Each structure stands twice: as structure tokens, then as C-alpha cells.
Amino acid sequence: MVNASRNRFGSRPLAVLLSLGLLALLAFAADSAAAAEPEGARIKSYEATITSSQAGGHPDLSIDFEVGTRIDPLLDDPCGCNDIKDARVEFPAGFIGNPHSVAECSANQFLVDRCPVDSQVGLARPDVLLADGCCAVPGWAPVYNLVPEPGQAGLLGFKGYYFNFPIFTVLSARTGGEGPHGSDYGLNAEVKGITRFFGLVRFKQIIWGVPASPVHDEWRFKKGGGFPSGTPTASNLPERPYLSMPTSCLGPLKSTLVSIAYDHGVHEADADWPETTGCDQLGFNPSLAANPSTVEADTPSGLDVKLKVPQKESPVTPSDSEIRAVKVTMPKGFSVNPNAADGKTSCSDAEANFKSMDAAHCPEFSKVGTLSLNSWALPEPIPGGIYLGEPKPGDRYRLIITADGFGTHVKLPGSAHLDPQTGQMTVIFDNLPQAPLTEFDMHFFGSERGLLATPERCGTYAVQSEFVPWAGNLPNQYSTQFFSVDTGPGGGPCPGATRPFSPGFRAVGATNGAGSHSPLSIYLNRDDGDQNLDTIAVKTPPGFTATLKGVPSCSEAALAATAAASHSGRDEQATPLCPADSQVGVSSAGAGAGSRPYYAPGKVYLAGPYKGAPLSLAVVTPAVSGPYDLGNVVNRVALKVDPVTAQVTAVSDPLPQILEGIPLRLRSVLINLDRKGFTLNPTSCNPFQVEGILAGTEGASAERFSHFQTANCDALGFSPKLKTTLRGATKRTGYPALKAVLTQGPGESNIRRAVVSLPHSEFLEQSHIGTICTRVQFAADACPAASVYGRARVMTPILDQPLTGPVYLRSSNHPLPDLVAALKGPASQPIEIELSGRIDTDKTGGIRTSFDAVPDAPVSKFVLEMKGGKKGLLVNSENLCARKHFVNAKILGQSGARANQKPLLKAPCGGKPAKRAKRAAKGGER
């Protein structure tokens, strides 16, 4: 028969271990270790009986077993090698003894036969052979409760009636092991080194359930006296239970005797143990109080938990049911603090010694709290610790509690379950040992890296508890307890209905040289008590760009795989899935309440078009802290480019607020774009600002500015070159095509403004201005095809491919339409730039086009080609070949430098100018 309750539970409290002490008396007669039987049955018989099966009752216990000896007719053992050497009795789980309920006899008192009468807990009678084949000698001897040695839960001792050498029984709890004889904190009683001087034939032991009861007076030995001779001896102690029955009505159960012979043969026998009855007569009234270590909102916190399970210690009334499981649900908002595991490790099951009788050896860096465990079977509480348990699939947030004292090593696993949407925490300790726990005090560390964090607002919060009794026919008990959060962070006023939002923001360049490549760092943060950060938008100054040439994008497939559950945070740390050459920076995210957040490092990659933006960044942060790996957070940042100024506005996706049940309470974000030769300063030294537009989770927004200004603009060169060419008709009233090419060398100031006036030889042919694209059509990228009058191409050293696009006439507020080049990059980087020129006439009457807002971006070559013929906007006012014509160009640099020039307007005329003029005169052309 297998004890179902003992199989179910892998751990038992100290109280159970102490109980073992009582039973240990019996243990001398039996030692458990199941194994195969060698020749013959070494255990001939084994019985374990109790005087009552009442659950929680305090019956007397009797052990009786008979073993084979050297004269056994079934054995040929003249050397006595088959005599019993060690014996162990394993009692059903939940059957306990309390060696601290009676007096103890010291070693000196025991050796000189002066044990106090109050230390007697029963009787023992070993039947031994005085000689081979002769004379089994019975005799009763008192069993005393002795002072245990260090590391022993309890110790019993007696001396044989006809021989005066002592026999000791060590009591212990099954705090480790596998199978029906381990991990249930049941009581073991063990005797080692039974002498071969006498051959043990039979052993009988009686342990009293209430040793001080008058019913035992006739069998109580006087101090220093011999066998009782009819004169009752009363105990001086109050009647207190020494033995207690299980408080679960399971069964039938069994008790197991294991014997080990001198030849190392192992023998095992089971004795039936009656089913426990009367569980409905037991009481069960536990309570739990849980209080944070601070009354401040949105603050790191410890937690003090006090679990009480009242137990009766009456000799006539059954003990209350022991507690089998407890579930504690903390209020919403009281959550795990993200920085709690930073620098921590975990305690593995092997280090916890769950399968060993030894004490746990959890690493100190896995410790998150302290423990004090009390039991009515203990003389005083025993200390312990609370540790982070090694995460397991489906059970990530494990706890291990340990306590050691009085020869008992408690090791109990628990679990914290976090709601993935709200972070609400439920802590469960299931399969608690069937032992008389009376008080269970836990303190989780607080301070700036407290394991937990208080709710974000003041108020009264409920802690709900559910208690499961070992007495299965009793109902579960429930309780609700409240705690208050009375102030804001730091003792300030409580937050209102909407929390404030005043984040900090800074943008700093590594160097301020105009036109130089310089890393840019952006840092923002918020205080405890503020709204959490939701989205971040950063608008860079005009002219702040980046060299994308040669930088590949991390693909959408790689980013999806990075965010997938199959790719852990540690996998990403070891082998990032985005190409290394697509990395453009690093990041750091600070999370957690208090002044010491946990900082999670990450990497910033260039990525492709996203949410309508031509480019994006992907910030990849492995969520790894201490023993916990929560995967990877991938936050996309759309890079929107203003088509007129080329200013970049970076807009993040909503920031994650909770990850695997842990509210992040994001405190800071740092982005450092530090790739060499990537970010590029403006070539204007005007004072600018980096603008941050930050949104909170409760609807608030904040606009922040950080000063930005470059220097040494006067050191930049500025020598752009303009070439203009007409093609096609050269005669008067002809409609030539125009090609203008502007080139510029590297490292120069970029162009701010350009005004180009054509010579008086070219007029605007207004009759050819047919279809004009409206501003609405242009904004919708729906200009009619007939509104296209040319094409433009821009080559820049910061892009792999040129920007190209049509040139439109677009409606304007001026008398003439504007000339607008709609430039666009390739599909991989579809950057759009709008270069708009205002058309009018200069004081000489020539056509003038003014480009008043040229983006501060490096351009190595700009090509403008306007159509001729019937779609041509130019008409010759004279024969182009009669003389030279020059273009007047006024070009202003972003640095303030000027490069005015008058390039020749080339025309397709053959020969030298004088000959062309004569031919023109003969032909009547003017």
C-alpha cells in the first residue's frame, strides 16, 4: 500500500521533521531502504499499530518486528554476517512527533542512568540471543528523549534490560529523494551499527502519544531506578501531544521497515497503517497579511508576508488541519519591478538539493528575501532565505524557500504567475508538506532595487488569499486583507486622476564641425510618478543628414525572425539576425521604479520603408535580465523626410508597456547613432534645435528642444559650377530644349539659394503653358501627364542611387506658375524631395528662376532638362548663333559664401561666332 499523500508532495516543513523524533524511537527497530531480498526473508514479520485513527489525534504507537539471525535454519551463516546492522522505519507522511514537547535528557545523564522521568517517551524491548541457538532474552527498557547532536532533528535512546550498552535512534525528515520513500517530509527513525555481540531476534517499541498522561505512570521509570515495581510515577510536565496523526483522511497507508545486514543485504517490509478518519472534526482557520515596505506610489518596494496557521496543542482534541496549498493574489498595479533581477542569478533544483537530504546551497546572488519558519513541533523559529528559482518552461518566475535548524532542511518550491496584460501577480505554494506549520514569515528585499513596485496611484488595495487544507473534506478558506498607498514618490502629494508628464530631453553631437560626420546621441527620461512614455518623435535640424551609401538595410524577414518567440534574447546577444553592416548605432533602455533602473542595451539598425516613410530604424533590445530571458523587443522608428527642407522626423512605434507580465515602467531611452561616417552635420552655422515630441500613456504630450549649432562654416569651400546648354532650334522664334548641370566638389558648403537668369535671347513662351498641376494634385502625387515639362536628376554622395523625377509647372501665388522638380529615390529608399523654383523676369526682361529653399544636403551633380519644341517653355528672341549669350547665376551657400557666375549658354551652332554671324545676316535672321 502506497501513501498517496506522501507521493504527491515533494517537500515537508520543519515541524514534520521534529515529529520524526518521536517516531525515531521506533526507528531503532527499523531502518528503511528498499532493495532486493538476498537468501531467505531477513524480516520475518513487521507490524505498526496505533491506538486511534482519528485525524490529528495523538495515539500511542507500537512497533513490532522479527528478523532472521545466524541460527536461522534457512540460513547458513556461522559468522553472523547476515545479522541486522542498520534499521530504518519510514512512517506515513503527516504522522509526526514533537520531541520538544517533553523534557530532554543530556548525554551525561543518559550514560549514568540519571535521565529525568519527564524525558521518558515510551518503552523498548529488544529480544536477543545470548549464545548461538540459546536463549532469547526479553526485557523492557525506558526510551528517553535525548538532547540531539548538531544536525539531528531528534534523538532517542535506551539501554537493554540485560545489557547496559546504549542504543540510539536518530530522527530525520525525508527532505529529499524520489519515489514513495522520499520528498514528502515524512518521519524516518534510524539505528546504525547494531551490535553483533548479541543476535537481534525481535524488537518491540511503544511510543506514547501524550507522554505526561497519567495512564503511563505505571510504566514510567524513576530517575536512576530500575524496572517499575507497581509504584506509579507521575510526570511533572503538563500534558502535551508528542505524536500526532496525519490531518488528511487518505488511505489505507503503510509504514515501511528497511533492514541492512552486515553482508550489505537490504530487506524491506511494509506494515498496514489504518486509514485516517474524522477529518470533518478538524479546524482550519489560516490567515495571511501582506504589506509593502513603503506607502509611496510608483516606488520600489519590499514585501512582508505573514502566514499563520493556528494549531491546537490539546492532548484530547485533534490538531487543526495542516495547510496543503496557499494562493495569494496581489492587487493590480503592485507588480514585479523590472530592475529586480539585474545582477541576480537563479538557484537550480540541483543547488536546492530537492533530491537530497542535505541542506540547500543556493547562490547568494539568487537571494531576494529572508524567511522565518515556526512550528509547534519546534522549540523556536528557524531562519531561512528566499531565492529566485531556475526558470522552467511554463513556470518562468519560480521561487525557492529554504530554512535550516534543529537538524531539519526545508526546501520548498513556489511560483509567481503574472498576468500578461496587467502584470497582476499571483503567488502559489502548492504541495506544502503535511506538517504543523504555525507561522511562516517572509520578507522580500526592498531598497532601490526592490523585487516589487507599488501601484502608480494612491489608494487602498486588496490582497486576496486562498488556503487549501490537507483535510480534503474541509472547504477551502478565503481571506481579503488591505494595504494603503498614501503618498506620491518621495513622500510628495498623491498623483491626481491624470498623472503629470514632464520628461527630460537632450540631443548632443559628438563634434560640432560644420559638414563633418559626427555621432548624435538622443536621451530622454521621466521621473517616478509621471505618465509612462508612449511614443517618441524627434525632428532633426535642417541639414542634419546621414550617409546611407553603402549601408544595407536589415530585411523585414530578419526583423520578424528577431521578434519571434523562437529567437531568445540570449540567441540575439550571441548571434544577431540583422547584418552587422546594417548597424548604425546602439541603444539603452532604462526600466523600473526607483533611482536605479535596469538598463537594457540594444542595437540600432537601418531598415527599409515603414508606415509610409522611405526609411526606418529598428531598435533591437534583448530583454535579458539575470536568469530571465523574455525574448527581444523590436521597436520600429519611421524616418520621415520633409520634401522641402529634407529635415528628418523620426517617429517611434508605441513603446512596450508590459513584457511577459512585467510592467516596464520605462524610465529612459538613449539612442546613440555612432556608426563611423554615418550622421552628417549641417553646413550652416545658424543656431538650430533638435525637437522632441513625446507622448504619455495617459494622453499628455510634451514638446522639448535641445540647442544644436555647428561651427567653423567659414572653413568650408564653396565653388559650385553651372553649365547650361540649349539644344534644337537656334533660329529666332525657335523652341529650344534646355539642359543645366550644376556640379560641386566634396567637403564644401551646401547650397542654400540659387537664382538663375537666362539671357535676353530667351523668352517664356506662355502659349505653350498648357496644363498646370494644382497644389492639391501635387500633394496627392496625381499631377496630369501634360503638366510635365522636363526631368531632373540629383546625384549625392550620401545615397547609393540618384534621385530622379519629372519637372512640373505647378500653380502658385505668383503671376507665373512655379517650376517644381519632384525627385524620388529607388524603391529600396524612396526618399522624396521637392525642389521648387519661382519663375519671373529680371530687370532686363530675361527669364529668372529663383530656388529660394534648397535643402542643406550634399549634391555632387544636379541635372535639369527642359523639353523643347511644342512642349518647350523657351522661345528664341534672336538667332542664337549670331553671338554669345551668358547665363547670370547667383548662388548662396549654407555657410554664407557666394559663388556668383556667368556661364556661357551653349547652343548647337557650327563654326566660329563671326562666321555664324555672317551666315545669319545673309539669311535675313536677326
Side-chain angles (χ1 to χ4, degrees):
M1 294 171 287
V2 177
N3 181 347
S5 63
R6 181 173 61 191
N7 282 341
R8 177 186 175 99
F9 297 95
S11 56
R12 295 307 168 111
L14 298 177
V16 175
L17 299 179
L18 299 176
S19 313
L20 300 180
L22 299 173
L23 307 178
L25 301 173
L26 309 176
F28 149 74
D31 176 90
S32 106
E37 296 277 354
E39 68 278 347
R42 298 297 295 140
I43 300 175
K44 292 186 175 182
S45 64
Y46 171 52
E47 291 182 356
T49 59
I50 50 177
T51 56
S52 171
S53 63
Q54 169 62 49
H58 314 294
D60 295 343
L61 169 69
S62 177
I63 295 291
D64 190 351
F65 67 84
E66 184 177 0
V67 295
T69 68
R70 69 193 71 173
I71 63 167
D72 194 318
L74 298 178
L75 302 173
D76 183 12
D77 184 23
C79 70
C81 296
N82 285 310
D83 285 353
I84 188 170
K85 174 179 176 287
D86 302 327
R88 182 175 71 243
V89 172
E90 296 181 353
F91 294 98
F95 183 74
I96 60 175
N98 181 6
H100 308 289
S101 66
V102 296
E104 292 180 331
C105 177
S106 70
N108 290 336
Q109 289 173 320
F110 178 67
L111 291 177
V112 297
D113 299 324
R114 303 293 293 175
C115 284
V117 294
D118 296 333
S119 65
Q120 185 181 350
V121 294
L123 302 165
R125 190 183 73 181
D127 292 356
V128 299
L129 296 175
L130 295 181
D132 286 354
C134 173
C135 311
V137 180
W140 288 102
V143 177
Y144 293 105
N145 184 43
L146 306 182
V147 177
E149 295 292 324
Q152 294 178 343
L155 182 66
L156 303 177
F158 71 92
K159 296 180 180 179
Y161 183 70
Y162 287 108
F163 49 88
N164 201 36
F165 58 85
I167 302 295
F168 299 100
T169 301
V170 177
L171 305 180
S172 62
R174 295 189 291 273
T175 59
E178 297 177 308
H181 307 305
S183 302
D184 63 358
Y185 284 73
L187 176 64
N188 283 355
E190 185 172 14
V191 176
K192 289 191 174 182
I194 300 173
T195 180
R196 285 197 290 178
F197 183 79
F198 303 107
L200 182 64
V201 177
R202 185 177 182 184
F203 180 79
K204 187 171 183 179
Q205 189 174 40
I206 298 173
I207 300 298
W208 298 329
V210 184
S213 172
V215 301
H216 305 307
D217 288 353
E218 293 187 2
W219 288 94
R220 201 181 317 277
F221 283 63
K222 296 180 180 180
K223 186 175 183 179
F227 188 80
S229 56
T231 303
T233 301
S235 172
N236 300 306
L237 298 177
E239 297 182 38
R240 293 181 62 195
Y242 180 74
L243 297 179
S244 293
M245 286 287 286
T247 60
S248 60
C249 290
L250 304 173
L253 308 175
K254 70 174 182 179
S255 172
T256 300
L257 169 66
V258 179
S259 68
I260 302 175
Y262 274 92
D263 64 358
H264 306 296
V266 180
H267 311 270
E268 180 177 324
D270 292 334
D272 291 337
W273 188 280
E275 180 178 356
T276 308
T277 59
C279 282
D280 57 341
Q281 301 180 35
L282 305 185
F284 185 59
N285 189 32
S287 64
L288 183 140
N291 291 290
S293 58
T294 179
V295 296
E296 297 178 7
D298 200 10
T299 301
S301 176
L303 184 68
D304 293 309
V305 179
K306 186 180 291 291
L307 170 63
K308 291 186 176 181
V309 187
Q311 289 283 341
K312 299 184 184 72
E313 293 188 62
S314 168
V316 296
T317 304
S319 302
D320 289 334
S321 174
E322 289 140 359
I323 189 168
R324 184 172 188 173
V326 58
K327 180 171 73 172
V328 182
T329 302
M330 300 302 294
K332 290 181 181 179
F334 188 82
S335 61
V336 173
N337 200 8
N339 62 7
D342 189 20
K344 294 290 186 183
T345 183
S346 64
C347 182
S348 67
D349 288 2
E351 291 169 323
N353 274 328
F354 284 132
K355 297 183 179 181
S356 167
M357 298 284 282
D358 298 330
H361 296 288
C362 289
E364 187 64 21
F365 283 120
S366 66
K367 191 172 186 178
V368 294
T370 57
L371 170 74
S372 176
L373 185 60
N374 201 4
S375 167
W376 63 258
L378 293 173
E380 60 186 44
I382 59 175
I386 309 169
Y387 300 89
L388 297 178
E390 184 178 31
K392 292 186 175 182
D395 191 9
R396 174 180 279 123
Y397 306 113
R398 299 175 66 229
L399 293 172
I400 295 174
I401 59 175
T402 69
D404 299 280
F406 306 105
T408 300
H409 305 302
V410 177
K411 301 158 287 188
L412 302 176
S415 297
H417 300 279
L418 309 182
D419 186 289
Q421 304 301 321
T422 66
Q424 186 172 22
M425 177 174 56
T426 301
V427 179
I428 299 174
F429 279 90
D430 200 0
N431 296 335
L432 292 173
Q434 194 174 176
L437 290 172
T438 54
E439 194 164 313
F440 192 32
D441 295 341
M442 292 194 295
H443 170 68
F444 292 92
F445 296 146
S447 76
E448 282 304 298
R449 287 201 172 175
L451 183 68
L452 305 163
T454 55
E456 295 172 340
R457 287 182 172 81
C458 297
T460 300
Y461 295 88
V463 179
Q464 297 178 326
S465 303
E466 179 182 0
F467 311 101
V468 181
W470 266 101
N473 55 349
L474 293 180
N476 292 356
Q477 297 295 304
Y478 301 86
S479 73
T480 301
Q481 170 249 330
F482 299 90
F483 67 80
S484 296
V485 175
D486 299 331
T487 72
C494 287
T498 300
R499 293 187 296 164
F501 189 61
S502 55
F505 177 83
R506 281 190 301 154
V508 179
T511 62
N512 66 346
S516 65
H517 285 99
S518 173
L520 177 71
S521 295
I522 296 171
Y523 177 76
L524 55 95
N525 67 300
R526 70 165 187 93
D527 293 332
D528 287 325
D530 271 15
Q531 295 181 33
N532 293 317
L533 293 166
D534 185 20
T535 59
I536 302 170
V538 176
K539 188 175 184 179
T540 62
F544 185 85
T545 56
T547 299
L548 304 177
K549 189 173 183 178
V551 183
S553 295
C554 183
S555 68
E556 296 296 324
L559 291 172
T562 299
S566 57
H567 185 65
S568 71
R570 290 189 174 90
D571 290 341
E572 177 64 18
Q573 289 175 334
T575 310
L577 297 185
C578 285
D581 55 357
S582 67
Q583 184 180 348
V584 296
V586 294
S587 66
S588 177
S595 62
R596 299 179 64 192
Y598 163 62
Y599 293 99
K603 295 181 179 180
V604 183
Y605 298 95
L606 182 66
Y610 185 68
K611 290 188 174 179
L615 297 168
S616 65
L617 298 177
V619 183
V620 177
T621 307
V624 177
S625 178
Y628 301 119
D629 185 339
L630 308 184
N632 298 290
V633 176
V634 179
N635 189 269
R636 296 293 290 274
V637 180
L639 300 179
K640 300 179 179 181
V641 180
D642 187 295
V644 175
T645 65
Q647 279 183 274
V648 176
T649 301
V651 181
S652 76
D653 277 351
L655 302 174
Q657 301 300 317
I658 188 168
L659 189 62
E660 297 294 335
I662 299 180
L664 298 180
R665 303 181 190 237
L666 198 65
R667 298 293 304 284
S668 65
V669 174
L670 170 65
I671 301 293
N672 184 14
L673 301 176
D674 62 353
R675 181 189 179 109
K676 186 177 181 179
F678 184 64
T679 48
L680 185 63
N681 280 341
T683 60
S684 169
C685 288
N686 290 335
F688 294 116
Q689 290 179 321
V690 180
E691 182 181 2
I693 304 98
L694 315 176
T697 52
E698 297 170 31
S701 62
E703 197 170 8
R704 297 289 184 266
F705 300 92
S706 186
H707 179 74
F708 187 96
Q709 188 171 12
T710 59
N712 302 321
C713 286
D714 55 355
L716 298 175
F718 189 60
S719 56
K721 298 292 187 294
L722 177 64
K723 293 182 179 181
T724 56
T725 305
L726 294 176
R727 291 179 298 172
T730 60
K731 295 180 180 181
R732 182 177 179 275
T733 70
Y735 307 113
L738 173 68
K739 180 178 182 180
V741 178
L742 179 69
T743 58
Q744 192 172 8
E748 295 186 355
S749 170
N750 300 323
I751 296 173
R752 178 189 301 178
R753 184 172 185 267
V755 179
V756 179
S757 298
L758 294 178
H760 197 266
S761 62
E762 302 303 317
F763 288 169
L764 180 66
E765 182 54 74
Q766 297 195 35
S767 65
H768 284 186
I769 299 177
T771 304
I772 296 176
C773 183
T774 67
R775 289 183 174 274
V776 173
Q777 290 172 324
F778 188 88
D781 196 18
C783 287
S787 64
V788 176
Y789 293 86
R791 291 195 64 81
R793 182 171 75 256
V794 172
M795 281 152 280
T796 170
I798 64 175
L799 296 177
D800 287 307
Q801 299 183 45
L803 303 178
T804 61
V807 176
Y808 299 99
L809 285 183
R810 187 184 67 185
S811 58
S812 73
N813 298 326
H814 309 110
L816 294 174
D818 290 338
L819 185 72
V820 182
L823 304 168
K824 190 172 184 179
S828 59
Q829 296 177 344
I831 298 170
E832 296 184 7
I833 295 295
E834 171 191 332
L835 186 61
S836 178
R838 175 169 53 88
I839 302 174
D840 63 0
T841 59
D842 62 14
K843 61 184 179 180
T844 66
I847 302 171
R848 179 174 60 188
T849 305
S850 300
F851 297 91
D852 294 324
V854 180
D856 187 358
V859 172
S860 55
K861 189 175 186 179
F862 172 73
V863 179
L864 174 67
E865 294 181 289
M866 300 299 296
K867 294 179 180 180
K870 293 181 180 180
K871 290 288 290 184
L873 294 178
L874 300 180
V875 58
N876 298 329
S877 64
E878 60 181 79
N879 189 328
L880 300 182
C881 296
R883 59 189 177 91
K884 292 181 179 181
H885 302 279
F886 296 91
V887 174
N888 187 15
K890 295 180 180 180
I891 305 175
L892 177 66
Q894 296 282 349
S895 64
R898 297 180 181 274
N900 297 338
Q901 51 195 276
K902 291 187 176 183
L904 176 68
L905 178 61
K906 293 183 178 181
C909 300
K912 294 182 178 181
K915 293 181 179 180
R916 290 200 302 269
K918 288 183 180 180
R919 286 197 300 269
K922 289 180 180 180
E925 295 183 359
R926 293 178 296 170

